[in-house]
Amino acid sequence: MAKIKAAILGFGTVGQGIYHIVNEKKEDLKKSLGLDIEISAILVNNLAKERIQTPGVLVTDDFEDIINIPGLQVVFEAIVNEEPAYGYLCKAIDKGCHVITANKVMFSKYSIPLHERAKSRGVFIGYEATTAGGVPVIKTLKNLLQVNSVKRIQGILNGTSNYILTQMRLNECQFNDALTEAQDLGYAEADPYNDISGQDAFRKLMILSALAFKKQPNWDDVRVVGIDGISLEDVKKAKQEGLRYRHVAEIEQDENGELFASVGPQLVGPDHPLYAIEAVNNAVALDTNYIGTLTLVGPGAGMYPTASVMVEDYAEIIGKRAGFMITI
Ligand code: HSE
C-alpha cells in the first residue's frame, strides 16, 4: 500500500496530540483512504529536552532535515508565532506538500498569501485547528457559504479565558490559580499573554472574518480587551446579581459592506446564549441569511480536540486528492 510521509513541526501539546492520534487511527485511516500515513520526522526546539519516545521517527531541530526528506507530502504545523512558521510553510508548499496548521498568530496574518501559494502549487491548506479548537467552525462555514451569506459572528473563542472565568465563579479562586490550572490542563499557550489579553480571540476572529467576509477590518480599529482586568471581587459581585462574565468576540458587516469588530468581556444574564457556555468550551454563533442563526459549541482548547481536527483535515485533504469523499 502506498505511503504518505508526514512531518510534525513543533512537539508541544498539539504536536504530541497529532502523533498519538495518527498512531491510534493508523489502521482506520488506511482503510478509509487506501493510503498509509507515516510520521517521518518531528521538528523540535530543543533536542536535549526529555520527551515521549517516537521510535523510527527522525527528531531534529533543523527544518532543512525535514524539508529535504524525499517524498514528504504533508506537514502538520503546531508552532507558535509568525516566524519561523510562515517561512517553513512557504518552503513546504513550494516543495509540493499539503500543510495543516494550528497556528492562529501566523495564519490570521498570512492566510491570503498562503492560499495563493498553495493554489499555484496545487496543494491544500487545512486550518480547522486555528479557530475554536475541536469545534468544526471552519468546515461548517466553508460549507454553508456555498449558499448562505453571513452577516454576523459572535462567540467565545478562547478556552483558557472561559475556563478561568468559570473556575473563579464556581470555586471562588484567584485569577492566577485558575490560570495555572488552565496551563496544567494544556489549554493555555506556552506564554499565556495572548490568552488573557484577548489577542488570541482577536486572531481567531480575524481568521473567521477572512473566511466569512473575504476580508478583515483594519486591525487597529478593533478594540481588544482581555480578562486580565477582572478580579475575584468582580466575579463574585456579578454572581450575586445572577450574571456571568463571558469573553466575547464579535464581528458584523453592515449594508455598505463595512466590518465592525470587538473583543472583550461582557456581563451576560441567563437569557444570553453564551451564559451556559462553561469551562474550556467555545461557542460560535453564525447569523446567516437562509439558515438563520447556527451555533456550534464544544471544547475550544486542549491536546486531543485540537489535534483531532488536524488529523481530520489530513483525511479530508488526502481524500480530496484521491478524488473521493470519505464515508465511514
Ligand atoms: N490557548 C488557546 C485557547 C488554545 O485557550 O483557546 C486553542 O487555540
Side-chain angles (χ1 to χ4, degrees):
M1 182 178 284
K3 225 171 216 159
I4 299 276
K5 285 190 191 178
I8 301 174
L9 311 184
F11 209 48
T13 306
V14 175
Q16 288 180 43
I18 297 166
Y19 181 77
H20 285 308
I21 293 177
V22 163
N23 284 322
E24 261 173 44
K25 298 298 293 181
K26 210 170 161 47
E27 291 306 314
D28 290 339
L29 289 168
K30 218 193 265 187
K31 271 189 219 144
S32 61
L33 299 169
L35 293 162
D36 192 13
I37 180 169
E38 171 193 279
I39 301 293
S40 305
I42 296 170
L43 182 73
V44 297
N45 234 343
N46 174 7
L47 275 175
K49 191 171 162 185
E50 228 177 273
R51 55 177 57 86
I52 57 161
Q53 295 297 308
T54 53
V57 179
L58 168 72
V59 178
T60 176
D61 60 359
D62 185 353
F63 178 69
E64 291 305 311
D65 292 344
I66 290 187
I67 205 64
N68 289 322
I69 292 173
L72 184 71
Q73 287 182 61
V74 175
V75 169
F76 292 98
E77 187 250 322
I79 312 180
V80 284
N81 295 329
E82 287 170 19
E83 291 295 352
Y86 178 58
Y88 290 166
L89 292 195
C90 287
K91 282 190 183 169
I93 290 171
D94 292 348
K95 263 254 157 155
C97 295
H98 304 294
V99 300
I100 298 165
T101 180
N103 185 339
K104 52 259 163 136
V105 174
M106 179 280 301
F107 200 71
S108 55
K109 190 158 169 193
Y110 294 114
S111 68
I112 293 171
L114 274 180
H115 272 121
E116 281 168 0
R117 203 173 193 113
K119 202 170 165 196
S120 73
R121 292 291 292 129
V123 296
F124 293 99
I125 300 178
Y127 61 100
E128 186 66 66
T130 59
T131 306
V135 180
V137 62
I138 301 296
K139 56 171 79 73
T140 304
L141 250 177
K142 278 185 187 167
N143 206 37
L144 63 82
L145 284 168
Q146 295 183 76
V147 176
N148 282 264
S149 58
V150 173
K151 190 177 178 298
R152 181 169 177 260
I153 301 172
Q154 184 192 49
I156 293 174
L157 296 179
N158 184 262
T160 300
S161 296
N162 207 50
Y163 182 82
I164 292 172
L165 294 172
T166 305
Q167 293 303 98
M168 285 169 79
R169 195 189 80 251
L170 293 179
N171 304 334
E172 304 204 340
C173 59
Q174 293 293 338
F175 184 98
N176 281 333
D177 295 334
L179 172 59
T180 305
E181 271 181 47
Q183 288 174 301
D184 292 346
L185 289 164
Y187 300 156
E189 303 298 302
D191 172 357
Y193 169 78
N194 280 355
D195 291 305
I196 62 175
S197 66
Q199 284 299 323
D200 180 82
F202 167 68
R203 295 299 185 114
K204 291 166 177 168
L205 190 68
M206 292 303 100
I207 291 171
L208 293 179
S209 176
L211 177 58
F213 305 114
K214 310 287 170 256
K215 61 183 179 180
Q216 296 176 342
N218 183 347
W219 285 17
D220 293 337
D221 293 343
V222 183
R223 183 172 147 78
V224 179
V225 181
I227 60 157
D228 41 356
I230 300 176
S231 68
L232 178 56
E233 293 318 308
D234 296 330
V235 173
K236 278 188 191 164
K237 187 168 172 283
K239 191 175 168 179
Q240 279 160 9
E241 292 165 5
L243 302 171
R244 293 178 182 175
Y245 277 102
R246 291 293 179 237
H247 189 254
V248 182
E250 48 197 339
I251 185 160
E252 185 161 9
Q253 187 168 43
D254 73 6
E255 51 282 4
N256 302 318
E258 209 176 326
L259 294 174
F260 296 92
S262 68
V263 176
Q266 292 184 15
L267 272 173
V268 301
D271 293 341
H272 195 284
L274 299 180
Y275 181 84
I277 312 301
E278 292 275 69
V280 72
N281 284 317
N282 280 191
V284 192
L286 307 164
D287 287 356
T288 69
N289 59 331
Y290 291 124
I291 298 172
T293 301
L294 176 70
T295 306
L296 305 172
V297 178
M303 176 189 273
Y304 289 113
T306 311
S308 86
V309 298
M310 295 182 82
V311 182
E312 284 175 15
D313 274 351
Y314 162 81
E316 194 187 333
I317 287 170
I318 296 302
K320 234 186 247 173
R321 200 205 56 163
F324 61 85
M325 292 304 289
I326 305 147
T327 46
I328 298 171

